Amino acid sequence: MVADSPFVSDVPAAEALEAWHEGCVAAGCPARVDVMRVPVGDAVGRVTAEPVWARRSSPAFDSAGMDGIAVHAADTVGAAETTPVRLADFAVVDTGDPLPEGYDAVVMREHVHRDADGTAEVRTAAPPYQHVRSIGEDISATELLLPAGHRLRPVDVAAAAAAGAVELAVRRAPVVVIVPTGDEIRPIGTEPAPGEILDTNSLMLAAQARELGCEARVTPIVRDDPAVITEALRAAAADADLVVLIAGSSAGRDDYTARVVAGAGTLSVHGVAVRPGHPVVLGAVDATPVLGAPGYPVSASLTFDIFAAPLLASLEGAAPRERPTTTARLARKLASNVGMDDWVRVRLGRVGGEVVATPLPRGAGVLTSLVRADGLLVVPAGLEGHHAGEHVRVELLRGLGEIGRTIVAIGSHDLVLDMAASALRADDPLVTLASSNVGSLGGLVALRDGLCHIAGSHLLDPATGEYTLPYVDKILDGDKIAVVRLVHREQGLIVAPGNPLGLSGVDDLVREGLRYVNRQRGAGTRVLLDHELARRDLDPGQVSGYSREEHTHLAVAAAVAAGRADTGLGIRAAARAFGLDFVPVAEEPYDLVLRDSGLHDELLAPLWALLESPTFRAEVEALGGYSCAETGHRIR
Amino acid sequence: MVADSPFVSDVPAAEALEAWHEGCVAAGCPARVDVMRVPVGDAVGRVTAEPVWARRSSPAFDSAGMDGIAVHAADTVGAAETTPVRLADFAVVDTGDPLPEGYDAVVMREHVHRDADGTAEVRTAAPPYQHVRSIGEDISATELLLPAGHRLRPVDVAAAAAAGAVELAVRRAPVVVIVPTGDEIRPIGTEPAPGEILDTNSLMLAAQARELGCEARVTPIVRDDPAVITEALRAAAADADLVVLIAGSSAGRDDYTARVVAGAGTLSVHGVAVRPGHPVVLGAVDATPVLGAPGYPVSASLTFDIFAAPLLASLEGAAPRERPTTTARLARKLASNVGMDDWVRVRLGRVGGEVVATPLPRGAGVLTSLVRADGLLVVPAGLEGHHAGEHVRVELLRGLGEIGRTIVAIGSHDLVLDMAASALRADDPLVTLASSNVGSLGGLVALRDGLCHIAGSHLLDPATGEYTLPYVDKILDGDKIAVVRLVHREQGLIVAPGNPLGLSGVDDLVREGLRYVNRQRGAGTRVLLDHELARRDLDPGQVSGYSREEHTHLAVAAAVAAGRADTGLGIRAAARAFGLDFVPVAEEPYDLVLRDSGLHDELLAPLWALLESPTFRAEVEALGGYSCAETGHRIR
């Protein structure tokens, strides 16, 4: 009996970093990158390699702090409203002018009356050094201006230049070389054949390295052959301060990274207690640290954040960059693996004065979960998760101001919401419409629980044949709730081009051998199917594939397009998007449900204006399967 | 009678921005910069000019979600611990492999026992599509991936590439041309003559523009001549999306910016209700926005933040970047001009579990206040200020994590503290020692009020001749307070090289015509002077210049070096720093006062370790005037 059990372990992240560090030291990796001297103007973003002491004072001379006249303070003694003093000996100065020799105070020009005879009258006594900027007011020669290990910002280099620095000793940018591996990986720009994958990870990790101020280079894609990978790794290590080897870090048949690193150098860690990210390889080859990153894009990105970023900061001798955090209320229960740090991507919105966090899909392959994330919530190992409503600490990926200007839509998915999101943003970069797709019912519940501003719904009440309103009464008590029509849209069976099985309607769904793909529980489209089946006295159990669930219209269409299902109920726009055919079943209203205060809320105003726009309506109807006859009408 | 009254007004910032925007529109300035198509890999940091819709689904095929075997789910029905099922028809797959034709589920390899005869045994039934990553799980073709007006991050371009994008339509980087003006301005790298100023502002503003993702160019320095400035402005406007004209924005004799902008184009605003920043010019020339920035460096930097940054973001069609904020307790009373938004730079530290904000010097010329700032506190127009201890909202310039790892020292200034700050950071980039100089007495009061971790003190008690300890009893009740010796140091009269006035000690300070420069009230050095005068029965009123105050030893030395004063009491290291002579007066201990819990606090541990370091002690003694014989001793 042959058991291929995986040999990756679960080392906690902090221990893994420590083990990697020790392994690197033992392997002779340098603690810091080299020092170079660069002109002050080129030093921004780099890290000081030594303290910057002021060589010169700034200002370098006493100067006028105001526009006015320079005077001898002693000459003004006794000046007052009733006893003005007339001065013949003064000098006109502007702010910043050196204080002319012999004068020791400045009187603001608003407080001076100059006569045609060249004298000036002052009505307040000027104490010595009034409005005089002293030499060294900003910087005293020899003081410590900046410590070593400081990442230089624009103000820092300006101050260093003012203090007499012409060049600064800084660490050079660390060099990161990224080595993509895998027989199935193809360069971006090629058209991948079935089973092939575009090398988007290299693009992403190189960009992440550059964001950290590093130089990044990507090698050609290396095929799954340990000898070739070893050669590529050694070549990369020769030029790099860090090599990132992408994929092959797991324990599959083609996963050679750990073996290759162990063979060519030191393997410190294989497998970390971080999800997503788990099968990570940390080691060193030829005195160069090596990170073996998993091929799943979310794992690759987070792994770089968690392991590469601190190493790179340490090579520069600087503190790692950190993300700001905020406290948020968790929209729903979050279970977590007790043995792992769980990095959960969340959407954030400010609803009812509080920041609310809604977890996004957690798969390591769902890169869009990171694209759409406003924050990261780490559930540390040892914790089983969080309850709904619990307050949690979230690392911010977007600014809180921007989050506060985001319209949060939770509920059913519709392409028109996507179009609205895009149109709103194009109009005003400050407006964001973020929608999470949890089905109509989920949306109404989210609205009830204060998790969103609007809920998109097309829920049919089989008893009355009415859409959405009966549910509003039931779930939301109907209190202070407004309902605004977004569109009418056609629902129907999405079928392969040419409708090869000749489906004509819901009656055909019980046909022997037909493969249906359904929507998730709580989705309006599923309720519609149930209703249509019930009307015909058909039993869901008779529909093969009834229990297979997808979460969006597009996912259903994708399944049909891939030949993985014969049909599924969905909107015409989804069929059209995939070049599929469509058998109409029903026309239904799709509505936006909200607290009625939202009708006059500044945040939502751009949305209501958009729904009135003829251009927008024309674009929606051009999608096919939509009618805007009642768009924007308040139906409750 | 000729009154040069200034003609700048006080337009509130929001109104000024609005007026500028309207002026730009009227002047024909483009609302957005041009669109260009760039390869996805080059698009990071740029802003999408149109929405990005998915051209392809990702993954583009059903694939194995785990390492294991692909099976027909139907074949596994009934499998359980007690009734294993043996499969002959399966395919070995690794994570990410396309699901082989005909199979519809994956069993993890940990749950499979493969026999030598080529069969596999499973002990759990696999539901259809178990561990199968569906086509479109991440991205469904045609869905909205990114809206227009989105600044692209590494994950965004990776997702766009996965969705089939090879190029993206983005806004090109706005071009900022910076025009420094002023007869007294000299390029960095030259040695400025007295009265001349290095052009550090151009360096800083160009770097700020680049930080925002813009291209920035600096023209040669333009002399103070309206015709020449006009010509330079027009030339700059021809290539720029924004021209920043530095200095000349006030109402001094050489301040031509407003006139030049009005003459060559549209002047929208001259003078804003923002401090520092007040004399700002906003307008447009040749269909290009122009910002006239004040010459004071803090004003220039903040003005760019407040006015240029939103304009540049709008040119890209993106939301402006925003700084994270935090709540902090204000260390001391803060008065503010009711008519102006007051941008106060603050140091932040976490003391006793709370973030504490200490205002830094507020002068528009004190660039180091921005260098040392951890945050910005805006006191809006209409508010007279804040009380000490009030909780205020602060925009963060450093991460809260880093702030939490900062040792906050408030009190007397000593070069040894600067050296310690630098040595600690060089050792460990995560350690920061930040010191604010408010004098010994101020430091003890700050420690009492929970505003700092350590207070540097060398306060002489004239009654007992003892240093610091009597004050600890008086101010801190002596309760749970530790005192650690930092150094002994020499205090004396700082005098011009060669001691031209032949001063021999404190007795000479009452000499007719001698110009003394004193330290501020509460400074240990001032207490020492008072004590030495009292011992001699001399009256402070006899010392000419007794009321002139500087806040640091170095500032006193700078005043003597500049010939602005003949002498001042200070430490030998300060005299030495400026190449001055020194007449010893006394040797005094300089101590660190802290709550005794700090002796075992992880935060302070690196400092205690440093004080034991022979290298550090040697460096200190090499400064001259210091003895480390008791360094690190706990004297209480």
Side-chain angles (χ1 to χ4, degrees):
Chain A
M1 194 132 142
V2 185
D4 327 38
S5 73
F7 61 102
V8 294
S9 56
D10 288 344
V11 184
E15 273 179 42
L17 266 171
E18 188 52 36
W20 193 22
H21 176 72
E22 281 168 17
C24 287
V25 170
C29 302
R32 300 271 191 272
V33 292
D34 302 332
V35 179
M36 57 179 190
R37 301 196 67 85
V38 297
V40 274
D42 299 343
V44 177
R46 300 269 62 87
V47 174
T48 49
E50 49 190 51
V52 179
W53 301 91
R55 201 168 66 75
R56 242 205 312 259
S57 295
S58 173
F61 48 87
D62 288 350
S63 60
M66 291 282 177
D67 296 339
I69 59 172
V71 300
H72 305 282
D75 294 350
T76 68
V77 172
E81 269 311 316
T82 49
T83 55
V85 166
R86 185 161 300 277
L87 304 172
D89 183 7
F90 65 89
V92 178
V93 286
D94 286 335
T95 307
D97 286 350
L99 194 67
E101 188 69 30
Y103 298 100
D104 64 358
V106 170
V107 180
M108 278 172 75
R109 111 168 131 164
E110 292 87 324
H111 300 152
V112 178
H113 294 268
R114 285 173 60 197
D115 269 355
D117 66 2
T119 63
E121 190 187 83
V122 297
R123 287 166 184 263
T124 335
Y129 299 94
Q130 165 181 287
H131 299 321
V132 172
R133 258 193 98 200
S134 300
I135 176 174
E137 179 198 87
D138 190 2
I139 300 164
S140 290
T142 78
E143 77 173 305
L144 174 70
L145 197 60
L146 301 165
H150 178 80
R151 195 174 296 279
L152 292 159
R153 304 159 302 169
V155 288
D156 299 325
V157 295
V166 177
E167 288 187 334
L168 291 172
V170 297
R171 303 275 166 197
R172 68 164 169 76
V175 176
V176 178
V177 176
I178 292 157
V179 183
T181 74
D183 292 339
E184 75 286 16
I185 306 298
R186 292 288 169 274
I188 288 167
T190 58
E191 202 57 43
E196 294 181 345
I197 295 174
L198 289 176
D199 181 25
T200 54
N201 279 333
S202 297
L203 178 72
M204 176 175 68
L205 296 183
Q208 284 183 257
R210 286 184 199 115
E211 271 198 336
L212 295 178
C214 299
E215 279 177 33
R217 199 158 53 73
V218 179
T219 71
I221 297 160
V222 179
R223 65 187 156 86
D224 283 325
D225 174 329
V228 181
I229 296 174
T230 303
E231 198 184 327
L233 177 55
R234 285 197 181 280
D239 304 339
D241 300 302
L242 168 67
V243 178
V244 181
L245 209 62
I246 307 178
S249 66
S250 186
R253 290 160 304 152
D254 301 333
D255 293 339
Y256 299 115
T257 300
R259 248 178 291 168
V260 161
V261 172
T266 315
L267 177 65
S268 301
V269 174
H270 187 195
V272 293
V274 171
R275 194 175 77 170
H278 183 51
V280 169
V281 171
L282 302 173
V285 167
D286 296 344
T288 305
V290 176
L291 164 66
Y296 274 136
V298 180
S299 303
S301 178
L302 289 178
T303 293
F304 190 91
D305 262 16
I306 299 169
F307 299 102
L311 176 97
L312 292 167
S314 154
L315 281 173
E316 287 191 274
R321 289 162 215 247
E322 48 175 292
R323 294 198 188 98
T325 62
T326 194
T327 301
R329 189 160 64 92
L330 199 56
R332 57 171 189 260
K333 185 172 183 267
L334 191 63
S336 172
N337 185 327
V338 179
M340 301 246 177
D341 292 345
D342 208 341
W343 289 68
V344 182
R345 285 80 76 201
V346 296
R347 286 212 100 141
L348 298 174
R350 187 178 289 279
V351 184
E354 200 173 21
V355 178
V356 172
T358 311
L360 284 157
R362 290 161 79 179
V366 186
L367 187 55
T368 47
S369 68
L370 211 42
V371 169
R372 296 202 169 122
D374 302 313
L376 291 171
L377 159 60
V378 186
V379 187
L383 218 60
E384 285 185 349
H386 292 288
H387 300 292
E390 224 178 289
H391 283 86
V392 291
R393 201 85 203 146
V394 174
E395 290 187 16
L396 287 168
L397 300 172
R398 274 207 305 162
L400 271 180
E402 208 180 322
I403 287 163
R405 291 186 306 260
T406 298
I407 303 170
V408 181
I410 299 186
S412 168
H413 177 248
D414 191 277
L415 288 175
V416 175
L417 277 182
D418 283 357
M419 289 183 61
S422 194
L424 289 171
R425 173 63 74 91
D427 240 42
D428 181 349
L430 297 184
V431 177
T432 303
L433 168 62
S435 38
S436 300
N437 312 320
V438 299
S440 297
L441 201 60
L444 296 177
V445 170
L447 184 67
R448 180 196 68 195
D449 295 347
L451 303 177
C452 61
H453 302 110
I454 53 177
S457 169
H458 59 114
L459 266 184
L460 174 66
D461 177 30
T464 61
E466 237 192 321
Y467 277 85
T468 296
L469 298 181
Y471 291 90
V472 167
D473 290 328
K474 214 169 347 179
I475 297 167
L476 292 149
D477 285 337
D479 194 28
K480 295 191 168 176
I481 295 295
V483 181
V484 174
R485 179 124 307 157
L486 184 65
V487 280
H488 276 93
R489 59 184 199 177
E490 279 184 284
Q491 288 268 23
L493 296 177
I494 296 169
V495 295
N499 191 4
L501 300 182
L503 304 181
S504 64
V506 170
D507 293 297
D508 293 329
L509 296 185
V510 295
R511 200 188 278 177
E512 183 68 31
L514 186 101
R515 297 167 307 152
Y516 186 77
V517 57
N518 207 353
R519 292 289 307 282
Q520 84 281 15
R521 247 170 283 258
T525 303
R526 181 159 171 154
V527 173
L528 176 62
L529 174 72
D530 293 346
H531 176 65
E532 295 291 335
L533 290 172
R535 273 186 19 177
R536 293 166 172 82
D537 277 331
L538 296 173
D539 188 74
Q542 296 171 261
V543 181
S544 145
Y546 181 87
S547 61
R548 279 181 57 197
E549 298 185 353
E550 292 290 353
H551 279 71
T552 64
H553 297 279
L554 287 172
V556 167
V560 175
R564 193 149 43 82
D566 297 317
T567 190
L569 195 59
I571 57 175
R572 184 188 284 274
R576 193 157 150 161
F578 280 84
L580 299 170
D581 269 351
F582 184 76
V583 180
V585 168
E587 188 179 63
E588 63 173 19
Y590 180 100
D591 297 322
L592 303 178
V593 185
L594 63 149
R595 310 218 163 261
D596 60 7
S597 57
L599 293 172
H600 309 290
D601 189 337
E602 207 186 326
L603 178 73
L604 295 169
L607 177 61
W608 308 137
L610 182 71
L611 297 190
E612 299 304 320
S613 147
T615 320
F616 180 68
R617 292 181 179 186
E619 280 171 11
V620 168
E621 295 195 335
L623 283 176
Y626 285 105
S627 151
C628 289
E630 295 181 8
T631 295
H633 289 202
R634 180 172 177 187
I635 60 162
R636 171 183 194 135
Chain B
M1 194 130 143
V2 186
D4 327 39
S5 74
F7 60 102
V8 294
S9 55
D10 287 345
V11 184
E15 273 179 44
L17 266 172
E18 188 52 36
W20 193 23
H21 176 71
E22 282 167 19
C24 286
V25 170
C29 304
R32 301 270 191 270
V33 292
D34 302 332
V35 179
M36 58 179 189
R37 301 195 67 83
V38 297
V40 275
D42 298 343
V44 177
R46 299 270 62 87
V47 174
T48 49
E50 49 190 52
V52 179
W53 302 91
R55 201 168 67 74
R56 242 202 315 258
S57 295
S58 172
F61 48 87
D62 288 351
S63 59
M66 291 281 176
D67 297 339
I69 59 171
V71 301
H72 305 281
D75 294 351
T76 68
V77 172
E81 269 311 315
T82 50
T83 56
V85 166
R86 186 160 299 278
L87 303 173
D89 183 6
F90 64 88
V92 178
V93 287
D94 286 334
T95 307
D97 285 351
L99 194 67
E101 189 67 32
Y103 298 100
D104 64 357
V106 170
V107 181
M108 278 172 75
R109 111 167 132 166
E110 291 89 325
H111 301 152
V112 177
H113 294 269
R114 287 172 59 197
D115 268 355
D117 66 3
T119 63
E121 190 187 81
V122 298
R123 289 167 182 262
T124 336
Y129 298 94
Q130 166 180 288
H131 299 321
V132 172
R133 259 193 96 199
S134 301
I135 175 174
E137 179 198 88
D138 190 2
I139 300 165
S140 289
T142 79
E143 78 173 304
L144 175 70
L145 197 61
L146 302 165
H150 177 81
R151 196 175 295 279
L152 293 159
R153 304 159 303 170
V155 288
D156 299 324
V157 295
V166 178
E167 289 187 332
L168 290 172
V170 297
R171 303 274 166 198
R172 69 165 169 76
V175 176
V176 178
V177 176
I178 292 157
V179 183
T181 75
D183 291 339
E184 75 284 17
I185 306 298
R186 292 287 169 274
I188 288 167
T190 58
E191 201 58 43
E196 293 181 345
I197 295 174
L198 289 177
D199 181 24
T200 54
N201 279 333
S202 296
L203 177 73
M204 176 175 68
L205 295 183
Q208 283 182 258
R210 287 184 199 114
E211 271 197 337
L212 295 177
C214 299
E215 279 176 33
R217 201 158 53 71
V218 179
T219 72
I221 297 159
V222 179
R223 65 188 156 85
D224 283 325
D225 174 328
V228 181
I229 296 174
T230 302
E231 197 184 327
L233 177 56
R234 285 196 181 281
D239 303 339
D241 300 302
L242 169 67
V243 178
V244 180
L245 208 63
I246 308 178
S249 66
S250 187
R253 290 161 305 151
D254 302 332
D255 293 339
Y256 299 115
T257 300
R259 246 180 290 169
V260 161
V261 172
T266 315
L267 176 66
S268 301
V269 174
H270 187 196
V272 294
V274 170
R275 193 175 79 170
H278 183 52
V280 169
V281 170
L282 302 173
V285 167
D286 297 343
T288 306
V290 176
L291 163 66
Y296 274 138
V298 180
S299 302
S301 178
L302 288 178
T303 293
F304 190 90
D305 262 16
I306 299 169
F307 298 102
L311 176 98
L312 293 166
S314 156
L315 282 172
E316 287 190 275
R321 289 163 214 247
E322 49 176 291
R323 296 199 186 98
T325 61
T326 194
T327 301
R329 189 159 65 92
L330 199 56
R332 55 171 191 260
K333 185 170 181 270
L334 191 63
S336 173
N337 185 326
V338 178
M340 301 246 178
D341 291 346
D342 209 341
W343 290 68
V344 182
R345 286 79 76 199
V346 295
R347 285 214 103 142
L348 298 173
R350 188 178 289 278
V351 184
E354 199 173 22
V355 177
V356 172
T358 310
L360 284 157
R362 290 161 80 179
V366 185
L367 187 55
T368 46
S369 68
L370 212 42
V371 169
R372 294 198 171 126
D374 302 313
L376 290 172
L377 159 61
V378 186
V379 186
L383 216 62
E384 284 184 351
H386 292 288
H387 300 293
E390 225 177 289
H391 283 87
V392 291
R393 200 85 202 145
V394 174
E395 290 187 16
L396 287 167
L397 301 171
R398 273 208 305 163
L400 272 179
E402 207 179 324
I403 287 164
R405 292 186 305 261
T406 297
I407 304 170
V408 181
I410 298 185
S412 169
H413 177 249
D414 191 277
L415 288 176
V416 175
L417 277 181
D418 283 355
M419 288 183 62
S422 194
L424 288 170
R425 173 64 74 92
D427 240 42
D428 181 348
L430 298 183
V431 178
T432 303
L433 168 61
S435 40
S436 301
N437 311 321
V438 300
S440 297
L441 200 59
L444 295 177
V445 170
L447 183 68
R448 179 196 69 193
D449 295 347
L451 303 177
C452 62
H453 302 111
I454 53 177
S457 170
H458 59 115
L459 266 184
L460 173 65
D461 177 30
T464 62
E466 235 192 321
Y467 276 86
T468 295
L469 297 181
Y471 291 90
V472 167
D473 289 329
K474 213 168 349 177
I475 297 166
L476 290 149
D477 285 338
D479 192 28
K480 295 191 169 178
I481 295 295
V483 181
V484 173
R485 178 125 310 156
L486 184 65
V487 281
H488 276 94
R489 59 184 199 177
E490 278 183 285
Q491 289 268 25
L493 296 177
I494 296 169
V495 295
N499 190 5
L501 301 182
L503 303 181
S504 63
V506 170
D507 292 299
D508 293 328
L509 296 185
V510 296
R511 198 190 281 177
E512 183 70 29
L514 186 101
R515 296 168 308 152
Y516 187 77
V517 55
N518 206 351
R519 290 290 306 284
Q520 84 280 14
R521 248 170 284 258
T525 303
R526 179 159 172 154
V527 173
L528 175 62
L529 173 72
D530 292 347
H531 175 65
E532 294 291 335
L533 290 172
R535 273 186 19 180
R536 293 167 172 82
D537 277 331
L538 296 173
D539 187 73
Q542 296 173 263
V543 180
S544 146
Y546 181 87
S547 60
R548 280 180 57 198
E549 297 186 353
E550 292 289 356
H551 279 71
T552 63
H553 296 279
L554 287 172
V556 167
V560 174
R564 195 148 46 81
D566 296 318
T567 189
L569 194 60
I571 57 175
R572 184 188 283 274
R576 193 155 149 163
F578 281 83
L580 299 170
D581 269 350
F582 184 79
V583 181
V585 168
E587 189 180 64
E588 62 172 18
Y590 180 100
D591 296 323
L592 303 177
V593 185
L594 62 150
R595 310 215 164 264
D596 60 7
S597 58
L599 293 173
H600 310 290
D601 189 337
E602 208 187 325
L603 178 73
L604 295 169
L607 177 60
W608 309 137
L610 182 71
L611 298 189
E612 300 303 319
S613 146
T615 320
F616 180 69
R617 292 181 179 185
E619 281 171 11
V620 168
E621 295 195 334
L623 283 175
Y626 286 105
S627 151
C628 290
E630 296 181 8
T631 295
H633 288 203
R634 181 172 176 188
I635 61 161
R636 174 190 191 126

